[in-house]
Amino acid sequence: VTALLFFTPFACHRRLVRGHEFWRGSAYFSAIGTAFMFIEMGWIQRLVLLLGHPSYATTVVLATLLLGAGCGALAASRTRLPIAQRYGLAVPLVIGVLNTLLTIGGPTLLALPLGLRIAATVLLLAPAGFLMGFAFPVGMTRFGDESKAWYWALNGTFGVLASVSSLALAMLFGFSFVVVLGLVAYLIAALLIRAPRSEPMGEPSSN
């Protein structure tokens, strides 16, 4: 149903425009859509024990990551592309460090009152959310205007499918494994967006 809703307009209304670096851009937006949901769903489940209830974990993780991502997207719009691209490699690094801190510090945090546990969770996850927010707007700038609608569709589709597949993967391998998969997907995205362009980007010449 997700694929049908996202991709039917391309078949019904217009020919798919394949802009410059179409396939690399497609892989990039698929990767970040998958990665965001894997990280989000994995951390929600990991933090149920720490925060004491699934509703607390869902509320705190969603609010922190989405608010952080919104701030990151705003910052990305005010950052030059070469500088913003450097944040790509920082995302998997920061996620890996935070995931390790949650593993090591979780038992210690359990002894704290609920309010302090929530505050600690927000402080830990906010930097990751901020950096994750760079991925989408920087990708839109990096891969040009021609295929933006297609990239939106791919990102949305893989985000929805990842939210479901993350639960199936977690049942087989655990939620820590799902977070690691999200980290790997962000690493792939970072490599895709930093790869050399086959031709320069910029505004069309008036000549």
Side-chain angles (χ1 to χ4, degrees):
V1 171
T2 297
L4 182 66
L5 292 175
F6 273 108
F7 296 120
T8 297
F10 293 98
C12 294
H13 297 294
R14 62 186 178 89
R15 181 177 60 86
L16 176 61
V17 178
R18 298 187 181 185
H20 177 55
E21 296 184 313
F22 175 81
W23 294 112
R24 185 188 297 174
S26 297
Y28 173 83
F29 282 95
S30 301
I32 64 172
T34 300
F36 193 98
M37 293 308 301
F38 275 5
I39 298 298
E40 182 180 84
M41 298 299 293
W43 276 349
I44 286 174
Q45 296 302 320
R46 287 202 62 185
L47 290 167
V48 168
L49 177 61
L50 177 62
L51 299 179
H53 196 278
S55 63
Y56 292 161
T58 301
T59 302
V60 172
V61 173
L62 283 180
T64 303
L65 290 184
L66 294 180
L67 180 60
C71 293
L74 180 62
S77 68
R78 303 178 180 182
T79 306
R80 293 177 58 245
L81 179 60
I83 297 174
Q85 284 178 276
R86 298 172 189 170
Y87 287 90
L89 289 175
V91 176
L93 176 61
V94 169
I95 290 173
V97 170
L98 292 177
N99 206 49
T100 301
L101 290 176
L102 287 172
T103 302
I104 296 174
T108 302
L109 294 175
L110 276 172
L112 299 176
L114 177 60
L116 291 179
R117 280 180 277 154
I118 291 175
T121 300
V122 171
L123 289 175
L124 281 171
L125 301 190
F130 180 81
L131 290 174
M132 290 159 71
F134 270 73
F136 192 90
V138 172
M140 283 294 180
T141 301
R142 167 67 173 77
F143 292 107
D145 294 331
E146 299 93 339
S147 305
K148 281 188 175 181
W150 174 256
Y151 295 150
W152 272 96
L154 277 177
N155 185 260
T157 298
F158 276 84
V160 172
L161 297 179
S163 67
V164 178
S165 61
S166 64
L167 298 176
L169 289 169
M171 292 175 66
L172 294 172
F173 305 108
F175 282 101
S176 294
F177 178 78
V178 172
V179 173
V180 171
L181 286 181
L183 188 154
V184 171
Y186 269 124
L187 179 59
I188 292 171
L191 296 176
L192 286 167
I193 202 169
R194 289 173 64 88
R197 289 190 285 263
S198 57
E199 65 182 56
M201 290 181 62
E203 294 298 324
S205 172
S206 59
N207 295 331

